[in-house]
């Protein structure tokens, strides 16, 4: 497969930024329930361009520390711009691979990961790495999606076709975009304790900034969907066009995917 074009990479960064904004209130609700404390040392693994860096930074305050960890140079430079723009002086970005275990064990009070368990090979081994990074009694946090709820009413065939094409693409590449269904069980299998879960679905009327989220996501995956033969070029473009018309229709309601948030304590 060819490397993604510069345009596709730019779209992906914008998509991740829009997605992070969309889930801001739910991230706050999650961290309220967890009860983060000032002075904590936290890490956001696979932080992307935004992740939850600002939320963590605000909560742990001037005596805390936040690390954003990612391997992608474009995400890292976007995250560094965010740090500068928002003056997040306690946040540092480290470039690295989630599986190379170069970070210190037991170093963090809280280890967070969002929208990464959906990728190929990201399962118990990655969760074990999160556990290793977290001190005994510290908190491991996951936020993942379940796309089966990402739908509209009345049902629109093009919407379902695009969504299902992306679910298929994730499956074909060994990933699972519905990883949010599995994380609660994974936390139990990893012997975390005091495991909690909450979930959220948004309703997105005309004007909601994430109403076009599915279209944006599909456009970042266009080259891969076509290369995998999941949709033809003309079918893909037709579905995009139909969805772009559809989201302008105020009588059509769109529901988001489910965001599943799970957290648990590392045994002392
Ligand atoms: C879908 S994005 C999610 C970004 C961010 N967590 C958020 O919720 O906005 C997945 C991120 O994980 C990073 N990532 C994926 N696999 C990785 C790996 N093996 N090592 C380091 N980063 C990885 C990607 O570069 C990307 O920034």
């Amino acid at each position: 497969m060819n490397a993604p074009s510069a345009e596709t990479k730019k779209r992906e960064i914008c998509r991740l930024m829009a997605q992070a904004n969309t889930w801001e209130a739910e991230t706050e609700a999650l961290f309220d329930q967890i009860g983060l404390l000032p002075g904590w040392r936290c890490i956001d693994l696979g932080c992307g361009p935004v992740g939850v860096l600002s939320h963590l930074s605000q909560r742990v305050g001037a005596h805390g520390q936040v690390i954003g960890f990612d391997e992608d140079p474009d995400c890292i430079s976007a995250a560094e711009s965010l740090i500068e723009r928002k003056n997040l002086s306690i946040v540092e970005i480290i470039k690295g691979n989630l599986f190379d275990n170069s970070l210190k064990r037991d170093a963090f009070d809280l280890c967070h990961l969002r929208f990464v368990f959906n990728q190929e090979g990201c399962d118990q081994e990655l969760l074990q790495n999160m556990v290793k990074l977290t001190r005994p009694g510290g908190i491991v946090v996951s936020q993942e999606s379940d796309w089966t709820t990402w739908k509209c009413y009345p049902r629109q065939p093009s919407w379902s076709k695009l969504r299902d094409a992306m679910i298929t693409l994730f499956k074909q590449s060994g990933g699972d975009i519905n990883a949010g269904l599995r994380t609660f069980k994974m936390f139990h299998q990893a012997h975390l304790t005091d495991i909690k879960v909450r979930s959220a679905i948004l309703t997105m009327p005309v004007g909601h900034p994430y109403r076009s989220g599915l279209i944006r996501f599909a456009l970042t995956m266009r080259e891969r969907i076509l290369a995998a033969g999941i949709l033809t070029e003309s079918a893909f473009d037709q579905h995009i066009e139909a969805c772009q018309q559809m989201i302008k229709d105020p009588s059509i309601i769109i529901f988001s995917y489910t965001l599943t948030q799970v957290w648990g304590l590392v045994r002392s």
Side-chain angles (χ1 to χ4, degrees):
M1 195 182 67
N2 295 333
S5 65
E7 182 56 31
T8 300
K9 283 164 93 178
K10 204 167 131 200
R11 275 204 171 124
E12 175 63 358
I13 298 284
C14 292
R15 182 189 76 75
L16 289 173
M17 288 173 158
Q19 183 174 245
N21 289 342
T22 300
W23 292 112
E24 272 188 351
E26 295 304 328
T27 304
E28 285 296 312
L30 168 70
F31 290 156
D32 279 348
Q33 280 206 18
I34 292 177
L36 271 80
L37 294 176
W40 272 12
R41 203 169 132 75
C42 303
I43 187 161
D44 186 12
L45 294 175
C47 62
V50 182
V52 296
L53 299 172
S54 313
H55 300 271
L56 292 174
S57 163
Q58 271 165 21
R59 285 176 186 254
V60 303
H63 299 294
Q65 194 187 11
V66 176
I67 305 286
F69 188 87
D70 206 289
E71 65 177 1
D72 180 77
D74 296 317
C75 285
I76 289 172
S77 67
E80 284 169 345
S81 306
L82 174 90
I83 290 170
E84 209 179 309
R85 215 170 47 249
K86 293 201 168 180
N87 194 22
L88 305 176
S89 57
I90 58 157
V91 181
E92 181 193 343
I93 304 295
I94 296 179
K95 183 173 191 293
N97 189 298
L98 294 170
F99 292 95
D100 75 3
N101 292 314
S102 59
L103 291 163
K104 228 173 126 228
R105 286 183 78 109
D106 298 347
F108 297 96
D109 300 291
L110 180 141
C111 179
H112 171 271
L113 178 93
R114 184 172 68 183
F115 303 138
V116 182
F117 279 128
N118 56 29
Q119 297 181 9
E120 184 191 3
C122 293
D123 212 291
Q124 281 298 343
E125 185 189 345
L126 179 53
L127 184 53
Q128 284 305 333
N129 285 351
M130 295 175 77
V131 171
K132 280 182 203 151
L133 291 175
T134 311
R135 66 162 167 83
I139 303 174
V140 174
V141 190
S142 144
Q143 301 193 72
E144 292 294 335
S145 60
D146 162 18
W147 278 23
T148 51
T149 62
W150 204 356
K151 55 191 172 194
C152 47
Y153 188 85
R155 189 178 168 275
Q156 306 293 313
S158 284
W159 182 273
S160 308
K161 290 259 164 53
L162 278 183
R163 182 201 55 214
D164 293 346
M166 289 188 279
I167 293 175
T168 304
L169 183 68
F170 267 89
K171 262 195 205 141
Q172 283 187 4
S173 9
D176 174 14
I177 195 64
N178 298 333
L181 290 172
R182 293 188 286 110
T183 42
F184 185 68
K185 174 87 178 164
M186 285 167 59
F187 272 47
H188 279 273
Q189 287 166 336
H191 304 297
L192 289 152
T193 64
D194 203 13
I195 300 166
K196 304 266 181 6
V197 62
R198 71 183 294 279
S199 61
I201 295 178
L202 305 175
T203 44
M204 302 182 290
V206 166
H208 189 288
Y210 206 59
R211 193 167 156 96
S212 58
L214 186 93
I215 301 173
R216 285 200 229 177
F217 209 149
L219 287 171
T220 66
M221 292 191 163
R222 184 177 191 278
E223 292 153 39
R224 292 173 62 201
I225 290 171
L226 302 186
I230 298 168
L231 290 174
T232 63
E233 188 168 7
S234 65
F236 182 92
D237 292 344
Q238 265 173 24
H239 294 318
I240 291 283
E241 173 59 27
C243 288
Q244 265 160 351
Q245 292 307 320
M246 180 213 111
I247 62 167
K248 293 181 202 153
D249 182 342
S251 70
I252 296 176
I253 183 163
I254 299 180
F255 300 96
S256 71
Y257 54 79
T258 307
L259 179 72
T260 304
Q261 304 170 323
V262 183
W263 64 102
L265 303 185
V266 174
R267 282 173 193 272
S268 299

